[in-house]
Amino acid sequence: MNIAKNMESIFVAAVVAAVSVANAIAAPAAPLEVASRTIVEESPVMESPLITIVVVGKRLTAEEKAKRA
């Protein structure tokens, strides 16, 4: 077995092992405390109707498809 051919897979396995160990050892993150109050504003109600887009067209015939290809 030639180690030089498998260095990429060995490197990826080492990185996966290192990240797994680092995540297992890491302490939980402290909760973030925000000093400001949360203000929720209601958005104005839209009274206009929704816009509907209708696309109308005819299907291409076999001859027209052949010309485009």
Side-chain angles (χ1 to χ4, degrees):
M1 182 167 126
N2 190 355
I3 294 178
K5 290 183 180 179
N6 298 319
M7 284 304 291
E8 182 180 359
S9 60
I10 292 171
F11 176 76
V12 171
V15 168
V16 168
V19 169
S20 299
V21 170
N23 285 334
I25 295 173
L32 179 64
E33 295 182 20
V34 180
S36 64
R37 291 183 296 154
T38 303
I39 300 174
V40 178
E41 296 180 9
E42 293 184 17
S43 61
V45 178
M46 295 181 62
E47 296 180 7
S48 63
L50 296 176
I51 298 172
T52 304
I53 299 174
V54 179
V55 178
V56 179
K58 62 178 185 174
R59 293 184 181 261
L60 296 176
T61 62
E63 294 172 357
E64 292 172 336
K65 287 180 185 178
K67 287 180 183 177
R68 291 185 179 225

